[in-house]
Amino acid sequence: MDLRHTIAQKISTALSQLDTTLTTDQVADMLEVPKTLDLGDFAFPAFQLAKSLHRSPVQIAQQLAPLVDADGLSKVEAKGPYVNVFLNQPVFAETTFKAILSDPEAYGSADVGQGGNVPIDMSSPNIAKPMSMGHLRSTVIGNALANIYSKLGYHPIKINHLGDWGTQFGKLIVGYKMWGSEEAVKENPIKNLLAYYVRFHKEDKDHPEMDDEAREWFRKLEDGDPEATKLWSWFREISLKEFQKVYDQLGVTFDSYNGEAFYNDKMDEVIDILESKGLLEKSQGADIVDLSPEGLNPALIRKSDGASLYMTRDLAAAIYRKRTYHFVKSLYVVGAEQKEHFDQLKAVLQRMGFAWADEIVHVPFGLITENGKKLSTRSGRIILLEKVLQDAVALAQKQVDEKNPTLANKKEVAHQVGVGAVVFHDLKNDRMDNFDFNLEEVVRFEGETGPYVQYTNARAQSILRKAGKTGADLVDAPALDDAGAWEVVRDLGNFPEMVTRAAKEYEPSVIAKYALRLAKAFNKYYAHTKVLTGDASQDSRLALVASVSAVLQSALALLGVGAPAEM
Ligand code: ARG
């Protein structure tokens, strides 16, 4: 149980003596964290109970405070309409440090997931097109969620649902045959494949026969025609190789690359079920599922020429994932602009009689902007994305050179700092917020950045190095009795709650913001406290330093950001 729930349980028990029942979870949701430490570490507001108890909130607070079990607390105090709870600081510091230092990796983890499978549909760029900033966001958010769910005992399955199927491949084949060459594609795959596609769309306006031809090629592809298949798999392979460069830089791996094409032979069943349940309707020659009762636009299942669609493949994929993984939850980290698609997907699955559609969660996110404007998918964006990461690394390299010219593994550190900066910047914003991308800003060592958190950890590590101690040496350090350290200690104690909350809200920013808060609190402490005094109290302060470092490392690891020991 995390700290918030431990306190909530005490209050819930006290409330039952006042003849009210609120569950521990309900109380936990109501508990506030006072702005200043003189108001305690948690505050329970009594407003909501006034009506049912026929008393004023102030009276309720006064009655409730003495009923709260004070074990582990230093004080429980009624103040106005609040019950303020003060933790026993030395006791809390000691147990927290012990918990962290005796098993740093286990701290914050829990087995709520009990090994349940959680497929995470993430990244999922489109073949023969540049990987967009949106795909980058999906990749890093999905990766962080996988880490967070794994820490809570779930078994995440990272699926790259590649956009490798659809009528556009018919167009691509026609374009390639008209204007392309093997050499050109080999030289710059994404740029040239995209160029054929773009040119196709320009020229088909005057040459409608091109569209017929493209449809024909896609039909061939769906039927397994050798030439079409060969071209398609070549396009797929070389595109994937380009995407892989970005994944390698980010250090993100996948458990499956089953993209849309994988479901080509699994869609007949979907159509059969829809048909047998009488859900399919004709509309202008196409097959649709009418979702007006749900207040949604109709779901397009099959085009008039018989070609299948994005939705049909997603239906097949959802069913396949349920059968293969028996998931307890199935996440889709996809931009907010596809909200309706996922609403439709769930609605159709419900209609098909799959109650597990409830476990499908669309995890949407906002846009990355440039000077407040939406980034357009211009040609060559893939190069830009790779380049963004390269530029970030170069910028980090410059900073490391200045700060620590004699550092041994400078290249590796610059990579961790540069790439980590971009990833952290993405994850520190609430995922639905649109945010601007400015490289200089992102890679700064001060302010709310990834490098700031990394630097704080490296500083803590350097203190430990100077003292010649590791976290393991400090597990039995004497209790810390230093009021100035309290903010740091309390933040450390909050880490498990943050992990749970990040998972519940599908929000890695909870962890990123927490890491910034902890780093800030520690730097403040360190600015006015001498840690290395050489006397008997030194070890208890070192235990705090080691705990901060361990938790910062855990937080960064959850976000998929490296934590260099020196920088
Ligand atoms: N390839 C799609 C796109 O770039 C994203 C796919 C998301 N996943 C899914 N199962 N529909 O827009």
Side-chain angles (χ1 to χ4, degrees), residues 44-155:
F44 176 76
F47 307 104
Q48 275 186 40
L49 299 171
K51 221 171 167 184
S52 60
L53 288 177
H54 307 291
R55 263 164 280 174
S56 77
V58 175
Q59 283 171 319
I60 298 171
Q62 267 161 6
Q63 288 175 323
L64 188 61
L67 299 175
V68 177
D69 163 32
D71 185 35
L73 306 177
S74 67
K75 194 162 64 169
V76 181
E77 188 179 66
K79 180 128 195 179
Y82 286 95
V83 174
N84 294 337
V85 175
F86 297 73
L87 297 165
N88 182 325
Q89 300 187 3
V91 169
F92 187 73
E94 193 177 355
T95 45
T96 305
F97 296 167
K98 233 191 200 74
I100 297 169
L101 298 176
S102 60
D103 193 348
E105 301 215 339
Y107 187 63
S109 63
D111 192 24
V112 282
Q114 302 190 349
N117 283 334
V118 180
I120 305 181
D121 187 307
M122 53 185 265
S123 195
S124 311
N126 301 318
I127 295 301
K129 286 199 183 150
M131 196 193 286
S132 69
M133 278 290 195
H135 296 123
L136 177 75
R137 292 214 71 192
S138 169
T139 310
V140 301
I141 295 171
N143 187 53
L145 289 177
N147 295 334
I148 291 163
Y149 271 83
S150 173
K151 193 152 182 94
L152 293 177
Y154 292 91
H155 180 246

Side-chain angles (χ1 to χ4, degrees), residues 31 43 52 96 220 359 378 387 427 491 494 548:
L31 279 180
S52 60
T96 305
K220 280 192 190 171
E359 315 304 337
R378 275 180 271 120
K387 210 175 158 296
L427 295 178
D491 278 346
N494 281 334
V548 167

Side-chain angles (χ1 to χ4, degrees), residues 121 124-126 135 161-163 260 310 314 321 332 334 338 341-342:
D121 187 307
S124 311
N126 301 318
H135 296 123
H161 187 79
L162 292 169
E260 295 187 45
Y310 184 53
D314 255 333
R321 287 173 195 176
Y332 292 76
V334 186
Q338 292 194 33
H341 171 76
F342 288 101

Side-chain angles (χ1 to χ4, degrees), residues 162-386:
L162 292 169
D164 57 2
W165 207 249
T167 46
Q168 71 270 27
F169 287 92
K171 298 174 187 171
L172 194 60
I173 292 174
V174 171
Y176 172 74
K177 285 173 102 49
M178 288 178 82
W179 312 298
S181 72
E182 202 177 320
E183 303 79 70
V185 173
K186 276 197 177 138
E187 202 189 297
N188 199 336
I190 306 279
K191 184 165 167 257
N192 285 315
L193 291 175
L194 183 69
Y196 308 148
Y197 186 71
V198 170
R199 186 160 169 195
F200 181 99
H201 274 287
K202 253 192 217 135
E203 300 201 2
D204 74 336
K205 291 196 184 69
D206 302 320
H207 300 278
E209 73 280 1
M210 282 168 64
D211 285 310
D212 297 332
E213 224 180 297
R215 252 193 299 280
E216 180 58 20
W217 271 108
F218 182 56
R219 199 193 51 73
K220 280 192 190 171
L221 189 57
E222 290 206 295
D223 292 344
D225 169 85
E227 189 189 353
T229 306
K230 201 172 151 209
L231 281 172
W232 167 81
S233 58
W234 179 49
F235 295 157
R236 184 181 191 273
E237 195 186 311
I238 49 181
S239 301
L240 206 50
K241 227 160 128 188
E242 294 296 309
F243 299 153
Q244 195 58 47
K245 291 183 194 166
V246 175
Y247 299 143
D248 286 347
Q249 276 178 311
L250 293 170
V252 172
T253 57
F254 297 92
D255 301 300
S256 160
Y257 287 89
N258 286 343
E260 295 187 45
F262 179 75
Y263 302 99
N264 190 32
D265 61 358
K266 297 171 181 58
M267 285 181 293
D268 287 348
E269 188 197 349
V270 172
I271 305 226
D272 286 349
I273 302 176
L274 288 170
E275 239 153 23
S276 72
K277 304 227 162 188
L279 293 168
L280 278 189
E281 278 174 42
K282 279 266 180 245
S283 168
Q284 297 169 351
D287 292 299
I288 61 153
V289 177
D290 173 37
L291 295 174
S292 49
E294 285 88 349
L296 295 166
N297 284 314
L300 274 172
I301 303 297
R302 192 161 52 183
K303 285 204 204 170
S304 49
D305 61 3
S308 63
L309 289 155
Y310 184 53
M311 175 61 78
T312 326
R313 291 188 280 279
D314 255 333
L315 288 165
I319 296 168
Y320 175 84
R321 287 173 195 176
K322 185 64 194 178
R323 282 185 189 149
T324 309
Y325 305 120
H326 311 286
F327 57 70
V328 292
K329 219 183 240 293
S330 183
L331 309 187
Y332 292 76
V333 186
V334 186
E337 69 281 359
Q338 292 194 33
K339 177 181 190 305
E340 167 136 59
H341 171 76
F342 288 101
D343 286 347
Q344 292 173 325
L345 178 68
K346 286 181 77 161
V348 175
L349 288 167
Q350 294 281 12
R351 292 273 200 97
M352 291 168 94
F354 297 124
W356 49 260
D358 282 343
E359 315 304 337
I360 286 183
V361 182
H362 175 209
V363 181
F365 52 81
L367 301 168
I368 300 186
T369 52
E370 224 163 22
N371 303 319
K373 276 203 247 37
K374 190 183 162 174
L375 282 172
S376 64
T377 322
R378 275 180 271 120
S379 123
R381 184 50 82 184
I382 175 82
I383 302 160
L384 283 185
L385 198 49
E386 230 187 293

